[in-house]
Amino acid sequence: MCIRDRCKPEPAAGRRQASKGESGKGTVSRRDRRRTGRLLQGAMGEGGDGSAAMLETHVWHAKRGHMSTLWGHRLCVRPCDHGDGFLFKSLAEHCTLTDASYMKPIQLRGTTDRLLELLQSVLPPKRSMSARVIDGELQYNAVLHAHSQWPHHAIGPVSIVWRAPSQPHHPRELWVWVHPLMLEEAEVALGGHEDVELSSPSLVRFELVGQAADTVARAVFHPEQGVLPAAKAVGPGLVICFEAPDPRQPHDHPACTTELQPGSEEMRRGRVECRLWDARSRREAKEKFPSQQEINNGRRHAVRFKPNEEDQAPAVVPVMLIARGGPKELNGWDVVIPAGFGMAVWLPLISVSYTHLRAHETPEHLVCRLLLEKKNNAKQTSE
């Protein structure tokens, strides 16, 4: 035995037994803890060892940015290769994509009168909800207060989206999006009504903001109803619901050139038939959706993924787009999809954004990029 091995301390009894397999339980090695599958078990707070919850895009962000624990989640605070100037330039000239899935939705279910009575007790009375908001056409932003405590005991800002009514005199549903820091107080304020059911749906929310947000959204999402309108033209808060084909694969169907119009029957039908509101529908859509491994196997063999014989319906993603904008906010879209579709939508949005920057660069930018590439090639040749 060499001197180096003699100087090593002997492992503890528990660790020695776990390494030899004599005990069924033992400490998991760092290598096993950092495997992708084990890391994704803690996505959206489901599973894990009780530590900070990770978003579905955690692995992608961890390879490209500095991660920190904020509001009970592991979030990317800044990129590794760019500074604040690059972010401001992207917002002004192109677009940015942010994973805002740390925002928590609270789903309320009850009759229209009971829901309005509950909201009136926790929201400022000066701002009443319009008929378009109650019909699910617009998102409503307000400041949440403790139950019957307005104007005191403000909890924080919230965003409310109603589900479009399918039939009259049926129970209604709505989402209240809150910050994770105010989640407990919001649940206490909203959960005091006996005739209103409260639940927490599993959803993913992205923020696509910038001048090129409309172009990127149109390149990734292809609804059957028509072409997506511009966020600036429809106004802030407009809700659009549809089912988009799998954005990871090319599509054979012809593109519809008709642009969706606010208040049209196609938009209303999409909000009524939206499958994001039902947990069973979200689960069924996830089960029919092909995994990334199946997509990669098809690309390796130059074969497009096809659904099973038992289920010939193509894979689709239930999507809800909420227009952003206003006097103090940049134009763009909030993308809401079910949990489990995060990376399937995130990667196409990222790749399309990069392609859009190259395809729509100005002549001045094109000349500068070509000169820089020529200079770099000359350096490499001389070396």
Side-chain angles (χ1 to χ4, degrees):
M1 181 182 295
C2 62
I3 300 178
R4 184 184 305 172
D5 294 338
R6 292 178 183 176
C7 297
K8 287 183 179 180
E10 294 184 1
R15 294 181 58 185
R16 189 190 302 115
Q17 291 178 359
S19 62
K20 293 181 180 180
E22 299 175 3
S23 176
K25 298 182 180 180
T27 57
V28 182
S29 63
R30 183 176 183 271
R31 179 179 179 181
D32 293 337
R33 291 198 308 268
R34 295 176 64 85
R35 292 185 183 275
T36 304
R38 190 179 292 272
L39 288 176
L40 293 180
Q41 289 179 358
M44 300 300 295
E46 298 177 358
D49 54 353
S51 58
M54 291 176 290
L55 309 182
E56 293 188 10
T57 59
H58 171 82
V59 176
W60 190 93
H61 283 96
K63 294 179 179 179
R64 297 166 177 82
H66 298 277
M67 308 300 293
S68 179
T69 302
L70 296 174
W71 315 312
H73 295 75
R74 292 292 295 174
L75 302 179
C76 180
V77 293
R78 65 182 185 277
C80 295
D81 54 346
H82 297 293
D84 296 338
F86 178 81
L87 175 61
F88 294 139
K89 182 178 179 180
S90 300
L91 286 172
E93 300 180 1
H94 307 296
C95 63
T96 60
L97 182 64
T98 307
D99 190 352
S101 301
Y102 56 87
M103 299 292 291
K104 299 300 181 182
I106 301 176
Q107 184 167 337
L108 303 178
R109 177 182 174 85
T111 61
T112 305
D113 297 336
R114 295 300 183 184
L115 291 176
L116 289 175
E117 181 182 352
L118 174 61
L119 294 178
Q120 290 175 0
S121 63
V122 296
L123 297 179
K126 296 182 179 180
R127 294 186 56 192
S128 60
M129 293 187 180
S130 62
R132 298 180 63 188
V133 173
I134 300 177
D135 290 341
E137 186 177 353
L138 295 178
Q139 178 181 258
Y140 182 81
N141 300 321
V143 178
L144 186 69
H145 292 74
H147 188 76
S148 302
Q149 295 293 329
W150 186 87
H152 308 288
H153 300 287
I155 299 177
V158 296
S159 300
I160 302 174
V161 178
W162 286 73
R163 183 177 185 177
S166 57
Q167 296 180 2
H169 308 293
H170 272 222
R172 299 290 305 279
E173 293 175 330
L174 61 87
W175 289 335
V176 181
W177 292 86
V178 301
H179 195 274
L181 286 180
M182 50 181 285
L183 179 61
E184 296 183 0
E185 296 184 56
E187 290 179 348
V188 172
L190 297 172
H193 209 290
E194 298 179 355
D195 300 333
V196 176
E197 300 178 4
L198 187 145
S199 60
S200 300
S202 299
L203 300 172
V204 175
R205 183 160 183 160
F206 298 149
E207 295 179 356
L208 183 62
V209 183
Q211 184 178 0
D214 297 326
T215 305
V216 174
R218 292 170 181 172
V220 175
F221 303 117
H222 303 279
E224 297 180 355
Q225 296 88 340
V227 181
L228 295 176
K232 185 177 182 180
V234 299
L238 182 70
V239 179
I240 304 177
C241 301
F242 55 90
E243 292 186 355
D246 190 352
R248 301 170 295 178
Q249 301 188 78
H251 312 292
D252 296 334
H253 60 82
C256 183
T257 57
T258 305
E259 185 174 306
L260 291 173
Q261 299 296 331
S264 61
E265 184 62 25
E266 290 79 7
M267 276 198 177
R268 184 185 180 281
R269 190 185 308 113
R271 289 190 292 266
V272 171
E273 299 175 356
C274 182
R275 296 196 294 170
L276 282 171
W277 294 92
D278 186 30
R280 180 181 299 178
S281 300
R282 295 194 300 265
R283 184 169 57 255
E284 292 177 354
K286 183 63 177 70
E287 293 175 354
K288 298 178 182 179
F289 201 70
S291 63
Q292 187 63 41
Q293 184 178 1
E294 294 173 335
I295 298 293
N296 295 337
N297 293 338
R299 291 174 179 173
R300 186 180 299 111
H301 300 287
V303 177
R304 186 176 301 178
F305 177 82
K306 297 181 180 180
N308 300 328
E309 297 181 358
E310 300 177 356
D311 185 11
Q312 296 294 336
V316 294
V317 182
V319 182
M320 175 185 290
L321 295 182
I322 304 175
R324 300 173 60 95
K328 298 182 180 180
E329 189 176 4
L330 294 175
N331 298 320
W333 297 96
D334 286 349
V335 184
V336 182
I337 55 178
F341 292 83
M343 291 303 298
V345 177
W346 177 269
L347 293 180
L349 287 173
I350 292 294
S351 60
V352 169
S353 302
Y354 178 79
T355 306
H356 170 78
L357 300 186
R358 283 297 182 92
H360 295 75
E361 57 188 353
T362 61
E364 293 78 6
H365 293 167
L366 178 62
V367 172
C368 294
R369 182 170 63 82
L370 293 178
L371 291 176
L372 182 60
E373 292 179 356
K374 182 178 179 180
K375 181 179 179 181
N376 294 336
N377 294 336
K379 287 184 178 180
Q380 295 177 1
T381 304
S382 61
E383 295 177 356

